Structure formats: C-alpha cells, structure tokens
Amino acid sequence: MKFKDFDLDKNLVRGIEDAGYAECMPVQEATLKHSLSGRDVVVQSQTGTGKTAAYLATIFQNLERDKKRQAIIIAPTRELAAQIDAEARTLGRHMGFKTGCFFGGVGYAPQEKRIKDGIDIIVGTPGRLIDLNQSRRLGFDRISMLVIDEADRMFDMGFWPDIRRMIKKMPPYSKRQSMLFSATLNYRARELAWQYMNNPFEIEISPEKVTVDNIQQEVYHVGNEEKMSLLLGILKKEAPNNALIFTNTKRFAMEVARRLEVNGYSCRYIIGEMPQKKRIEVIEDMKSGRVPILVATNVASRGLHIEDLDLVINYDLPEDSEDYIHRIGRTARAGKSGKAISLACERYCYSLEGIESLMDMKIPVMWADDSFLEKDQSRGKRYSFTMDSRKRPEKSRASTKPHTKGHPKVRREAHKKNAKQQRLEYYAKKYGDKFK
C-alpha cells in the first residue's frame, strides 16, 4: 500500500517523497489505518521498522485539519529526540508547522526562545520537558496529540514517574489522541495504556521472537591479546564505507578509538558522559561521512540512525542479550541488508549462549588464522584518559614496586578473604553442626 492511498495532504505527500518513502512498511500501514481517524494506538514494533514516519504522518495530517492543536513526542534519549526532530523537519518541510527539540546537556536560552516564537510539535526527553514546564516556559494544557516512543526503554531508564507526571498535566485522554510505541508490550506499557489512553487499538508488527533476517551475522572466538589484531584484519577484509564498533565500557571505547587512530584509521568515540554538544558533533561527523568509524558504548545502541551503515562490530559481546539485538539493529534499517561481526573473547564469550537463545539461532563461527591478523601498531602502548582530551600513548613498562599493604591488588585479595570468612561464620551460626 502506498502513502498516497491514505488521502493525505498533498504537501505531506511531498515531504514523504522527499524522505524516500513510497510503499508503506507494515507498521506504517497498520498504524495509519487507525491513527488517521484519531483513534489511540498501542504498537509493538522493533526499532528500524519505520514507526517514526507512521506517527509523524498522523501528527501532520491531524494538525492540518486543526491548526490550533499541539503535539508532543517523548523519547528516552537525546540522540533519539534529535533523530525524530530531523525526520519531522523532512516530512513537514512543505507544511509550515514549527518543530522544536528539547533535551538536557545544552543551554536553556535557545530552547526557551523557540518556545516563545511558537511551536506546533514538541520533541524531547522527560527531564528537560519537566524542567521547562516547572519554570512555566512550556505548558502541556494545549497538547492534543501525545506520542511515547520506545516506551520499554523509557521504563527501563526509570522515566515511568516522569511520564505519569507529564500526562496528568495534559488534557484528559478523551480530549487528546495518544500513541505508544514499544519493542515489547510489557506490564508497564499495558498499565499506562489502561490508565491514560482512550480504548487504544493494539497493533503487533514484530513477533515476540526477535528476527534479524536481513543481517548477516558472524562471530570470531579470540583471545584478549589478539582482539585488536583481529579487529584490524576484519576492517581490512570487509573494507566498509562506515562501521560502528561497540564496547562494554567507556574506557575501552576511548582506548579502541585511539588504537585505531594509531593504526591509521580515522575514527571517533562516543560515551554517555560526553558533553551533549560534542556528542552531536561526533554523530554529525559520522552521518556526513567525515568520520567513517565510530566506537561507542550502549549509548548508541538505540536511537542512533546512520543511513546505510555497512557494518556493526561487537568488540565486546554485550552482557545483556537484548542489547545485542539493539546494537546490530543499527544496520539493515528499514528493510535493507547489513552485516554484524562479534568478537567472543574469554571475558564475554559466556554471553553468546543467551544471545543465540534469544534469537533462536546459531551465529555462524568464523576462524581466523595468523595470516588474517594484522600487525597492531598500538600494541605495547598504554593510554591515560580525561574527558576533555584524547588519549596520549605511552610506552608500556612493568612496575618494579613490590606489592605492599596499601596496593590495590593486595586490598582486593584481603577483601575477598574477609568476605569468605564472614560467609563461613554466617552459615556456621545458622546451621550449627549441620554445616561443613
């Protein structure tokens, strides 16, 4: 089914065509059949299935019918909010409605000016939206359309009380249209729908079992010492136009990025503690192609959309199986194909069983001989980090100081010994002679 078959406003159709949409994807068709009539919807759909265009098309069409209305879209992260705002500007560029994006980590003045100038579609994260409301800069009393995107993640991040707080300041559910989108419709999502939505129609696009049919997956078993050499070999073999590399910690995100630079690759890193202005700068460099490789923690596993991303590499296998799905979902967006390669080292290889169980499939194992491994120019160097500067390589040198009582390793061992003794004493006291 095509978008124009829904009898949409001609200027909205122009924006949809500018965005490269023609045929409706399943989530778009199923949502628009109900949402365009004003009915509330609860939609279970994975990221990358086109749900953003579904609710934005609904918002623009309903705003065109009644220009006095105002819409709000609540997103869990700054990156996702910025992405929604960008897509809204594309779809609505011929319609004349004003869109504003509001999130923390940046100054209030530009956002307050945007509100003062007038705004039709509000996109933002819960914290900043509540701050602006409490300071009486942004009111919720005119909201007639509410969208809660990635509700499951919103709840995981502890935003449930904030969402309830905002909804209570909006018109009652009978006087607004509400749309909720979530990868999984858990208890919290259904409770919110029951309390604050008006008899919503439930749409389930993706099956409960996660499918990743359009992503070619591979896994290499590798020792910690050879991970960087293997990563270099993979980048040489695959020669991707762009690649997103995930690590489990911010320290390793910075280290991997710096070591890739030492080996001649242009790359940047992104971590949660990075100032928002710098994060936006890094993401824009990646999207524009100025930086072909981005190393990131899970902060980029949701809400980050890079057009035609060639390759996702899990330098560290995630400890949470669902994080694996979200990570590799950065490629093969909107029905396209992509590739994901994982390095299973001795530290994180135990995550592989849970990941394969979640997907109900075995990831093909690839084997790399010595000829596949590339020489690592950063090997034997050590790096120190600060949040405001890049790493500085130093020559590795073994410590000649003897372990003393105050040495961290000695303290750790003493703590373990003390904890073990306490457990023994506890069980002896509880079970008496039966404990051995």
Side-chain angles (χ1 to χ4, degrees):
M1 191 172 186
K2 297 182 182 296
F3 277 95
K4 62 183 180 182
D5 295 333
F6 284 104
D7 193 28
L8 300 174
D9 182 85
K10 62 180 181 180
N11 288 322
L12 175 56
V13 173
R14 287 176 63 193
I16 290 171
E17 291 173 349
D18 290 345
Y21 294 112
E23 293 282 343
C24 287
M25 298 181 70
V27 68
Q28 296 164 348
E29 181 178 344
T31 300
L32 292 172
K33 282 181 178 178
H34 301 280
S35 62
L36 288 175
S37 65
R39 183 165 184 183
D40 289 7
V41 292
V42 173
V43 185
Q44 177 179 322
S45 180
Q46 295 171 240
T47 58
T49 55
K51 57 185 171 60
T52 307
Y55 62 70
L56 285 175
T58 301
I59 288 172
F60 281 118
Q61 183 68 16
N62 291 338
L63 284 176
E64 185 62 32
R65 292 171 182 163
D66 183 358
K67 293 181 171 61
K68 294 181 180 179
R69 306 177 78 181
Q70 191 177 54
I72 187 168
I73 303 168
I74 307 174
T77 65
R78 292 171 280 189
E79 286 73 25
L80 180 57
Q83 178 185 317
I84 295 168
D85 179 57
E87 189 159 352
R89 293 175 187 275
T90 300
L91 295 182
R93 67 172 55 172
H94 305 293
M95 302 193 72
F97 294 111
K98 295 180 180 179
T99 303
C101 192
F102 307 92
F103 47 72
V106 295
Y108 283 85
Q111 296 181 357
E112 291 174 355
K113 183 178 184 303
R114 195 170 294 119
I115 295 169
K116 190 175 181 180
D117 292 341
I119 191 167
D120 301 297
I121 302 174
I122 302 162
V123 185
T125 54
R128 181 53 63 95
L129 291 175
I130 288 175
D131 285 349
L132 291 169
N133 177 257
Q134 287 182 327
S135 64
R136 299 187 178 182
R137 299 291 192 276
L138 179 65
F140 295 147
D141 53 303
R142 286 185 53 223
I143 299 297
S144 60
M145 286 178 283
L146 164 68
V147 174
I148 300 174
D149 200 358
E150 294 203 357
D152 54 336
R153 190 178 186 197
M154 203 94 71
F155 300 142
D156 289 342
M157 295 173 69
F159 288 135
W160 169 241
D162 293 336
I163 293 171
R164 293 179 60 187
R165 190 173 171 186
M166 284 188 284
I167 291 177
K168 288 179 178 179
K169 294 187 176 184
M170 298 177 191
Y173 63 77
S174 59
K175 295 185 178 180
R176 61 172 158 79
Q177 181 182 15
S178 303
M179 293 175 276
L180 182 147
F181 294 80
S182 181
T184 57
L185 293 180
N186 55 24
Y187 170 77
R188 281 279 175 83
R190 295 182 188 278
E191 183 183 10
L192 188 148
W194 180 78
Q195 283 186 304
Y196 301 109
M197 299 179 72
N198 187 15
N199 188 27
F201 187 85
E202 189 170 310
I203 299 169
E204 185 176 334
I205 297 299
S206 58
E208 187 174 350
K209 187 188 300 179
V210 180
T211 58
V212 285
D213 296 337
N214 293 334
I215 304 176
Q216 180 186 346
Q217 299 177 70
E218 297 175 355
V219 61
Y220 288 86
H221 290 274
V222 60
N224 277 327
E225 294 298 318
E226 305 299 332
K227 282 179 79 172
M228 181 55 63
S229 295
L230 177 58
L231 175 61
L232 295 171
I234 290 170
L235 291 174
K236 182 178 179 181
K237 175 192 172 186
E238 300 293 333
N241 291 321
N242 51 16
L244 182 56
I245 301 172
F246 284 102
T247 66
N248 286 350
T249 65
K250 60 183 181 182
R251 178 184 175 277
F252 274 104
M254 293 187 285
E255 181 174 323
V256 169
R258 181 61 185 132
R259 293 181 71 177
L260 285 173
E261 287 183 334
V262 172
N263 282 280
Y265 286 93
S266 174
C267 70
R268 300 286 295 276
Y269 66 81
I270 181 172
I271 57 178
E273 288 79 358
M274 186 179 283
Q276 182 63 19
K277 184 177 180 180
K278 190 172 182 181
R279 286 168 69 174
I280 293 173
E281 175 190 323
V282 171
I283 291 171
E284 288 304 315
D285 284 346
M286 180 68 175
K287 289 183 175 182
S288 66
R290 290 191 292 270
V291 176
I293 299 175
L294 178 63
V295 186
T297 56
N298 277 340
V299 70
S301 65
R302 291 198 194 188
L304 176 60
H305 175 52
I306 300 171
E307 197 71 33
D308 299 323
L309 181 65
D310 286 349
L311 181 63
V312 171
I313 299 176
N314 285 303
Y315 187 81
D316 298 326
L317 273 174
E319 296 176 288
D320 187 327
S321 301
E322 289 190 3
D323 285 339
Y324 176 86
I325 302 299
H326 294 302
R327 286 182 181 186
I328 69 173
R330 298 308 95 201
T331 186
R333 306 280 291 180
K336 298 178 182 177
S337 59
K339 189 168 185 177
I341 299 175
S342 299
L343 310 187
C345 64
E346 55 262 38
R347 183 176 181 182
Y348 296 113
C349 64
Y350 302 103
S351 302
L352 190 58
E353 182 179 353
I355 291 169
E356 292 179 332
S357 175
L358 178 64
M359 297 189 298
D360 194 21
M361 65 169 285
K362 287 287 185 182
I363 303 175
V365 177
M366 308 299 289
W367 300 100
D369 56 25
D370 290 342
S371 63
F372 186 84
L373 304 178
E374 288 293 304
K375 185 178 180 181
D376 177 16
Q377 302 293 335
S378 67
R379 194 182 187 98
K381 296 180 180 179
R382 189 170 59 183
Y383 302 91
S384 59
F385 314 101
T386 63
M387 285 306 301
D388 297 322
S389 63
R390 306 301 291 272
K391 304 174 199 177
R392 297 185 299 273
E394 300 174 358
K395 290 185 178 181
S396 178
R397 56 185 182 273
S399 174
T400 58
K401 291 184 178 180
H403 290 320
T404 62
K405 184 178 180 180
H407 192 278
K409 186 173 182 180
V410 175
R411 292 200 302 270
R412 284 197 300 271
E413 293 301 322
H415 174 75
K416 290 179 182 177
K417 186 176 180 180
N418 186 44
K420 182 178 180 182
Q421 183 61 34
Q422 287 178 350
R423 287 198 301 272
L424 291 173
E425 291 174 358
Y426 169 79
Y427 286 118
K429 183 178 180 180
K430 184 174 182 179
Y431 298 106
D433 296 336
K434 295 180 181 180
F435 174 72
K436 293 185 179 180

